[in-house]
Amino acid sequence: MSNISKEEILKLVKEISLDKDESIFSSDLIEDIVIKEGHVQISIFATKDNFQILEKVGKKIEKTLKKSINALSITSVLTNHIESNQVDQKDDQVDQKDDNESLKKVKNIIAIASGKGGVGKSTLAVNIAYSFLKQNFKVGLLDADIHGPSIPHMLNLEGKPELNENRKIIPFDYKGIKVISIGFLLNEDQPVIWRGPMVHSAIKQMAQDTDWGNLDILIVDMPPGTGDAQITVSQNLPLNGAIVISTPQSVALNDAKKAIGMFEKVDVKILGIVENMSYFILPDGSKEDIFGKDGGKNLAKELKVNFIGSIPLDKEIRLNSDLGDPSKLEEKYFDEIVNSFLKNSKLKI
Ligand SMILES: Nc1ncnc2c1ncn2[C@@H]1O[C@H](COP(=O)(O)OP(=O)(O)OP(=O)(O)O)[C@@H](O)[C@H]1O
Ligand SMILES: [Mg+2]
């Protein structure tokens, strides 16, 4: 396997005989062939009109190649970022200054990020958005989690957003918070793999093509990790900085450290660390540090960043996420986080 080349794979692909209804495929539609450590990935450019046929073609390519070459795995993926980029370019040409127009009236943009998944980014994003709203801030929420958008569920919002007369997306409204999520724009069964460039244009479009109006603060719920989405957000949105959230275990803290390192590399300021699931309140009111103690605080100290505060593991928090209505959450944890954040941050208000 080690010396099989892209050219050879392409040659084999060209020889594959197709059924009549698959004949729209041509080898020009092969966008990339990546061979890495014995694994082969073939990207095929698809549009919404031909992805069903190309999905079938992709399977056929996989099957045929498996017979001819000795690879650990052969996978075909459909991509369509070219289409999105073209839309971007067209918009750029129509109205250059339009690009950041929507964001011009947004005074502050803050990303909520973590290195590790499932540590509570979306929970924090939604609940602090509501806490800011209670303090009379004009708030927006952008769900940049292209792979697993959870904001629609957490705010019980569904449907497709409409466009206004200037062809800007009208955001959804949760009690006054302006909300946009890729979840509103995707078809649930959309098979397209959201690879780098696609992630890039989807996030850019959501940020720039939404009619945010005047906002004091736009909160961006990031996907986990240190990949394309993080880079895109940091390079395309005028961020004040990022709040990094972690649980107290050392694995999570290590990932948080990586995320902080990545943001610093791309010149995004770290506005502070929030520790989530810090402790558990026992029925008698005492605290139990199930995941260790002060991990987030110590990391903040080590990296010389602001420690914003901690949030306990609390059943009410989870129940309210599932209920889709953060306004029902009676606990004050997120108000305290917002107050602590406001004390140390220099928001432009
Ligand atoms: N402090 C908490 N107490 C109880 N449950 C919590 C707490 N924080 C988050 N959860 C629950 O943990 C789960 C994961 O939280 P959430 O979806 O906010 O994480 P995430 O970091 O956004 O995940 P992903 O990386 O998948 O985007 C959710 O079910 C949420 O309700
Ligand atoms: Mg999330």
Side-chain angles (χ1 to χ4, degrees), residues 121-122 145 150 221-222:
K121 288 176 296 300
S122 305
D145 197 342
S150 48
D221 180 23
M222 300 292 293

Side-chain angles (χ1 to χ4, degrees), residues 114 116-124 145 148 150 154 221-224 245 276-278 311-319 321-322 334:
S114 73
K116 205 170 170 308
V119 293
K121 288 176 296 300
S122 305
T123 305
L124 181 73
D145 197 342
S150 48
M154 286 179 165
D221 180 23
M222 300 292 293
I245 175 164
N276 191 20
M277 309 188 195
S278 294
I311 303 159
L313 187 66
D314 182 335
K315 198 165 126 198
E316 290 301 312
I317 294 178
R318 211 242 335 125
L319 287 175
S321 288
D322 287 348
F334 297 100

